[in-house]
Amino acid sequence: MSVTYDDSVGVEVSSDSFWEVGNYKRTVKRIDDGHRLCSDLMNCLHERARIEKAYAQQLTEWARRWRQLVEKGPQYGTVEKAWVSVMSEAERVSELHLEVKASLMNEDFEKIKNWQKEAFHKQMMGGFKETKEAEDGFRKAQKPWAKKLKEVEAAKKAYHTACKEEKLATSRETNSKADPSLNPEQLKKLQDKVEKCKQDVLKTKEKYEKSLKELDQSTPQYMENMEQVFEQCQQFEEKRLRFFREVLLEVEKHLDLSNVASYKNIYHDLEQSIKAADAVEDLRWFRANHGPGMSMNWPQFEEWSADLNRTLSRREKKKATDGVTLTGINQTGDQSSQNKHSSVSSYEKTQSYPTDWSDDESNNPFSSTDANGDSNPFDEDATSGTEVRVRALYDYEGQEHDELSFKAGDELTKIEDEDEQGWCKGRLDNGQVGLYPANYVEAIQ
């Protein structure tokens, strides 16, 4: 059993019981712990709010980046829409997590902060008023009993010392009877010593029993007074515990998105968008816009004419139609089938197909030279049309291999006008030729 000593009363503490002198300090410390726990809970919620905010930002950034990649990628049709709906889900969920962050900080955090301020009152000399009141209450309740306990301990010590002296004196007297060198006067002194020790034992025992009786008589009042102060501390702690339970329930409501109607709607909408993807519809659209369903100006015999005695540039052919244009040839094919699906897919934005056909390997876009990347697909008509010097208004980073990259303020040469999709062809000063957004530059006056 461990034994400690309380300097305030000079009494040894022989157990861990609340009733021991000074052991009320654990109850007093609980008040200080309550204030610290409020701060800990606030820090806990603040950290969770930061996580919610960071997660929301990551979702938004992820959705933005992948929306651009999907829209500029080769996916098309209803499956593209289903894919993009996943990014829409992320954006909507991001908004909900920002709301969670706001609720944690603006409601829960502030509620704890205000309660802590109202429940704990700091003193000028440090510490809290509630802690000092509890400390003073326990000290006052324990002081009379601790004083009597100190007297009991002193009486017990005196009694035990007297008993020890008596035993020692008796032992000496017994041994002296067998010692012939001792005279009668010396033996008489030893006997007187034993007698005196016995009287001291009786006196100290009586005093010890008396002080112990007085202590026992004061114990009920001591227990009542200590119980009263302890109950006040219990009531204070009960308020904190109930408050924490209330706050944590509110935190749970804010964190539980499964009970939020808008959260359920997000995944209902996502499911409907994905289920709306139709492979047959997408294949039909691709056939009509990029496959055999496209219209074609098939070659026909035409008479020679001076007006036709010229070679159409590749640029003129591209502007005229998606197929090969020969002057004087009637257009055939199922035009209504081509226009059945009017929505523009990202596939059209990133894919280009050769509009002229020749058996000559030099004009074949799939020849080995191009396949090996030894030639620039834009070199062929880099000098066609009117060249105009332009200046970049904004930074642009090319997303595809055939796009240019430049910084705001850079100058380049526009070698082809804007097409129907808002892109121009240009040439950088280092000779690189590629596409760029028309609205990212302005003509140099």
Side-chain angles (χ1 to χ4, degrees):
M1 178 175 62
S2 62
V3 177
T4 59
Y5 189 81
D6 189 284
D7 293 333
S8 62
V9 295
V11 177
E12 288 186 351
V13 179
S14 59
S15 74
D16 200 36
S17 173
F18 165 78
W19 301 107
E20 294 285 358
V21 175
N23 280 0
Y24 64 81
K25 291 183 178 180
R26 291 174 301 185
T27 306
V28 175
K29 181 178 179 295
R30 186 176 61 173
I31 299 176
D32 292 333
D33 290 342
H35 182 274
R36 182 177 62 83
L37 289 170
C38 288
S39 299
D40 289 346
L41 184 54
M42 285 191 290
N43 290 335
C44 175
L45 297 184
H46 182 257
E47 189 171 327
R48 177 59 185 266
R50 290 173 57 190
I51 293 173
E52 294 289 336
K53 180 180 178 181
Y55 179 55
Q57 291 174 339
Q58 290 175 354
L59 279 179
T60 301
E61 178 61 24
W62 175 84
R64 182 193 65 79
R65 186 169 64 90
W66 275 99
R67 184 186 292 274
Q68 292 179 352
L69 292 174
V70 172
E71 289 178 349
K72 293 183 178 181
Q75 185 57 60
Y76 56 90
T78 59
V79 173
E80 178 189 6
K81 294 179 180 178
W83 193 345
V84 171
S85 68
V86 176
M87 274 64 84
S88 299
E89 173 269 342
E91 293 169 344
R92 295 170 66 183
V93 170
S94 172
E95 294 177 358
L96 290 181
H97 281 281
L98 287 177
E99 292 178 5
V100 170
K101 174 258 180 185
S103 297
L104 291 176
M105 293 303 299
N106 298 336
E107 297 180 31
D108 303 330
F109 184 92
E110 288 298 323
K111 187 173 184 178
I112 300 171
K113 181 179 179 181
N114 293 333
W115 188 90
Q116 183 189 45
K117 186 176 181 180
E118 294 174 0
F120 299 91
H121 302 86
K122 291 186 176 181
Q123 298 184 118
M124 294 293 293
M125 301 300 293
F128 299 104
K129 175 184 176 183
E130 291 73 22
T131 304
K132 187 176 187 305
E133 289 177 351
E135 177 78 28
D136 293 344
F138 279 121
R139 191 184 295 275
K140 182 178 180 181
Q142 198 172 69
K143 185 175 181 180
W145 189 84
K147 183 178 180 181
K148 292 184 180 299
L149 178 62
K150 187 176 181 180
E151 293 174 356
V152 168
E153 293 292 334
K156 181 177 73 170
K157 184 177 181 181
Y159 170 65
H160 289 174
T161 301
C163 291
K164 182 179 178 182
E165 289 294 330
E166 180 195 15
K167 183 179 179 181
L168 184 59
T170 302
S171 176
R172 287 177 179 174
E173 181 193 14
T174 302
N175 294 334
S176 67
K177 292 179 180 180
D179 188 358
S181 63
L182 295 176
N183 56 43
E185 185 179 354
Q186 292 175 323
L187 293 174
K188 183 69 169 59
K189 287 182 178 180
L190 290 174
Q191 291 173 355
D192 292 342
K193 178 68 173 177
V194 170
E195 187 62 27
K196 183 178 182 302
C197 287
K198 287 182 179 181
Q199 292 177 0
D200 290 343
V201 167
L202 291 176
K203 289 180 181 179
T204 54
K205 182 179 181 181
E206 182 181 355
K207 187 176 181 180
Y208 179 31
E209 290 175 342
K210 182 182 178 181
S211 61
L212 189 60
K213 184 178 179 181
E214 292 177 354
L215 180 67
D216 290 340
Q217 291 174 349
S218 65
T219 297
Q221 184 64 44
Y222 163 66
M223 295 179 68
E224 181 181 346
N225 293 340
M226 291 290 285
E227 280 275 9
Q228 185 177 358
V229 180
F230 181 79
E231 188 58 32
Q232 293 174 355
C233 295
Q234 287 288 83
Q235 292 176 1
F236 184 82
E237 177 67 4
E238 182 182 10
K239 292 180 181 179
R240 185 191 68 81
L241 294 174
R242 291 185 180 276
F243 172 73
F244 268 42
R245 180 180 183 274
E246 176 186 343
V247 169
L248 291 173
L249 282 174
E250 293 181 5
V251 170
E252 181 271 334
K253 291 179 181 178
H254 292 147
L255 294 178
D256 187 7
L257 296 179
S258 63
N259 292 325
V260 180
S262 57
Y263 185 76
K264 297 178 181 179
N265 293 336
I266 290 175
Y267 292 98
H268 176 269
D269 295 345
L270 176 61
E271 181 181 5
Q272 296 302 316
S273 298
I274 296 175
K275 287 183 176 180
D278 188 340
V280 175
E281 182 72 12
D282 288 354
L283 294 174
R284 185 184 297 116
W285 177 90
F286 191 89
R287 178 184 180 85
N289 288 272
H290 299 290
M294 297 179 67
S295 61
M296 174 63 178
N297 293 327
W298 299 104
Q300 296 182 16
F301 179 81
E302 58 179 296
E303 292 291 346
W304 178 88
S305 170
D307 294 335
L308 300 177
N309 191 18
R310 65 187 181 90
T311 303
L312 295 177
S313 69
R314 184 178 179 184
R315 176 64 178 172
E316 290 172 327
K317 294 177 185 178
K318 181 178 178 183
K319 279 192 172 185
T321 178
D322 287 341
V324 178
T325 302
L326 297 177
T327 305
I329 304 300
N330 294 328
Q331 186 173 359
T332 62
D334 187 0
Q335 187 66 28
S336 62
S337 173
Q338 180 180 353
N339 297 329
K340 181 176 181 180
H341 306 284
S342 58
S343 62
V344 178
S345 166
S346 63
Y347 194 83
E348 295 178 293
K349 300 176 184 177
T350 58
Q351 299 294 325
S352 61
Y353 297 89
T355 57
D356 50 357
W357 179 263
S358 172
D359 290 334
D360 186 358
E361 286 294 323
S362 63
N363 292 327
N364 188 349
F366 302 100
S367 65
S368 59
T369 304
D370 287 345
N372 293 328
D374 295 330
S375 63
N376 190 325
F378 301 108
D379 290 343
E380 181 177 334
D381 55 340
T383 57
S384 63
T386 303
E387 295 186 354
V388 178
R389 292 290 287 177
V390 295
R391 181 183 293 109
L393 297 173
Y394 318 100
D395 294 350
Y396 181 73
E397 186 70 22
Q399 303 296 316
E400 302 291 342
H401 69 279
D402 58 352
E403 296 179 11
L404 298 178
S405 298
F406 46 77
K407 300 290 184 181
D410 290 352
E411 294 184 6
L412 60 150
T413 302
K414 181 179 74 173
I415 58 179
E416 282 190 13
D417 294 330
E418 178 182 353
D419 62 17
E420 61 274 9
Q421 296 175 9
W423 294 84
C424 288
K425 185 183 294 186
R427 182 177 63 248
L428 299 178
D429 292 341
N430 63 6
Q432 181 184 356
V433 177
L435 300 174
Y436 64 90
N439 58 355
Y440 271 55
V441 303
E442 65 176 358
I444 300 176
Q445 301 295 334

